Amino acid sequence: MRLDLNEGALGPSPKAIKALSGIGSKIHTYPAESTSGLVEAIGVRYRINDPSRIVLGCGSDELIRALTQAYLEPGEEAIHTQYGFLQFPTAIKIAGGIPVSAPDNHYTANVDAILERITSRTKIVFLANPNNPTGTYLSNKELKRLRVELPQRVLLVLDAAYAEYVQIHDYSAGIDLVEQNDNTVMLRTFSKMYGMAGLRLGWAYCSADIANTLYAVKPPYSVNTPALLAGVAAINDLKFQKKSVDHNAVWLPWLQNEFKKLGMKPYSSVANFFIIRLPKQAREYLAKRGIIVRSMSDYGKHEFIRISIGLEDDNRAVIQTMVDFFNGIEV
């Protein structure tokens, strides 16, 4: 049972699956992003007036790499948060840049800490919102303050991979900031709520100048034909999207409350996962039961795990396993 990668619990839309039938006869031709209709469908779904400013990528990871390659020179700095997405410092280093970590405040990004680390060499600020792996978020008010107080020369990149799950009214994925500022980029993905991680499909919304730069940097044909076809079907399947969001809205608090009943303290989250301090023996017990969760050791938090919301049977199995652990039942 894999609950370590924040994959969409319900899998992909049935319409996306259907769109892939018969694709075999077309794989000898190069994918055609411009005629697939995907950027137009994304524009309609997210009320983006100018879809020409949407750039598709082989997952948002490719777009993160493209941004660092385009906007970082060797020795220049890019800021990421203390418990932010690990791809940020990785991409910064690959581009020859210097990653600068801004301390979090109780596992939440801290705008003041980010601003304090701005230097003359800072070119990019990366912010995952909601944050992976902590599940915390910055309010729209704080996002706007960050953009206003950042120097205009600094590119702000907002990774909103989990935006579809958020049920908080003071949250913004960043579309409005992109439309109001030429130096802001919003990243999104089909890997989470849309359940299409295996097809590697992401997108960026940015200014026309940044879009042109990304097209110049990223490889041609990086988005494959199956991803384009499934993406159009998935983006138009509003019924499935609601089902996915509703599933998470039920089982995220359920799983957290069940952990609380066992005397543990899961951290608040607005995404489809959360972090919790768990004894090493409990983590090993889960693994022996075939339940895979994500260690926070890469962040130096060896006593923490991140656990994704699964199907009902998965979630119940996690709690039953914890009950068995605390009752001393042998694996």
Side-chain angles (χ1 to χ4, degrees), residues 46 60 159-161 163-164 173 175 186-190 201-204:
Y46 291 99
S60 55
D159 185 352
E164 285 83 5
I175 291 175
M186 180 193 69
L187 303 176
R188 302 290 280 266
T189 185
F190 280 78
L201 180 61
W203 56 282

Side-chain angles (χ1 to χ4, degrees), residues 4 62 116 161 168 205 208:
D4 62 326
E62 180 191 38
E116 287 170 2
I168 305 295
Y205 180 45

Side-chain angles (χ1 to χ4, degrees), residues 203-218:
W203 56 282
Y205 180 45
C206 50
S207 68
D209 285 344
I210 294 175
N212 289 334
T213 299
L214 287 175
Y215 278 121
V217 172
K218 78 184 193 78

Side-chain angles (χ1 to χ4, degrees), residues 34 75 120 180 196 211 328:
S34 61
S120 60
Q180 296 162 12
M196 290 169 44

Side-chain angles (χ1 to χ4, degrees), residues 72-80 89 92-93 95-101 121-124:
L72 274 183
E73 295 292 336
E76 292 181 331
E77 298 173 347
I79 296 173
H80 61 92
I92 294 166
K93 292 176 183 176
I98 301 172
V100 177
S101 178
R121 294 189 297 173
T122 305
K123 296 297 290 293
I124 308 174

Side-chain angles (χ1 to χ4, degrees), residues 62-318:
E62 180 191 38
L63 297 168
I64 292 169
R65 296 278 181 94
L67 285 164
T68 57
Q69 290 168 8
Y71 292 99
L72 274 183
E73 295 292 336
E76 292 181 331
E77 298 173 347
I79 296 173
H80 61 92
T81 57
Q82 180 181 6
Y83 298 110
F85 188 32
L86 287 175
Q87 281 295 323
F88 296 153
T90 298
I92 294 166
K93 292 176 183 176
I94 290 173
I98 301 172
V100 177
S101 178
D104 281 4
N105 181 15
H106 299 293
Y107 300 101
T108 302
N110 185 322
V111 170
D112 290 325
I114 293 171
L115 294 172
E116 287 170 2
R117 277 150 184 80
I118 298 294
T119 72
S120 60
R121 294 189 297 173
T122 305
K123 296 297 290 293
I124 308 174
V125 169
F126 284 105
L127 179 68
N129 196 40
N131 185 55
N132 174 25
T134 62
T136 54
Y137 79 103
L138 281 185
S139 69
N140 190 31
K141 180 180 179 181
E142 282 294 274
L143 273 187
K144 289 181 177 179
R145 181 168 79 88
L146 175 60
R147 180 63 275 177
V148 167
E149 297 189 27
L150 280 175
Q152 289 298 302
R153 61 179 173 77
V154 175
L155 182 67
L156 176 60
V157 179
L158 303 172
D159 185 352
Y162 300 92
E164 285 83 5
Y165 290 113
V166 181
Q167 304 288 294
I168 305 295
H169 293 301
D170 64 346
Y171 170 80
S172 170
I175 291 175
D176 55 336
L177 279 184
V178 173
E179 293 178 343
Q180 296 162 12
N181 301 273
D182 288 340
N183 51 4
T184 303
V185 179
M186 180 193 69
L187 303 176
R188 302 290 280 266
T189 185
F190 280 78
S191 295
K192 308 306 177 182
M193 186 274 290
Y194 287 103
M196 290 169 44
L199 289 179
R200 311 306 302 126
L201 180 61
W203 56 282
Y205 180 45
C206 50
S207 68
D209 285 344
I210 294 175
N212 289 334
T213 299
L214 287 175
Y215 278 121
V217 172
K218 78 184 193 78
Y221 309 119
S222 65
V223 180
N224 63 69
T225 299
L228 293 170
L229 292 174
V232 172
I235 203 83
N236 289 319
D237 192 350
L238 300 182
K239 182 178 179 181
F240 176 80
Q241 293 167 38
K242 183 178 186 303
K243 185 178 180 180
S244 294
V245 173
D246 289 348
H247 175 88
N248 196 68
V250 169
W251 290 102
L252 171 64
W254 182 89
L255 198 54
Q256 291 180 314
N257 287 334
E258 292 299 313
F259 270 111
K260 290 176 183 177
K261 291 177 185 178
L262 294 173
M264 289 177 278
K265 297 180 180 180
Y267 284 70
S268 178
S269 172
V270 298
N272 68 328
F273 57 87
F274 59 93
I275 59 172
I276 186 170
R277 181 181 281 110
L278 207 61
K280 179 181 178 182
Q281 297 88 342
R283 300 196 300 272
E284 293 173 346
Y285 194 91
L286 283 168
K288 290 178 180 177
R289 285 281 184 94
I291 299 173
I292 305 172
V293 294
R294 180 68 177 268
S295 169
M296 290 277 288
S297 295
D298 288 338
Y299 297 89
K301 307 299 290 186
H302 303 288
E303 72 278 24
F304 277 81
I305 66 160
R306 185 194 69 192
I307 184 167
S308 309
I309 306 305
L311 294 170
E312 176 177 352
D313 289 348
D314 300 333
N315 302 326
R316 293 189 183 278
V318 168

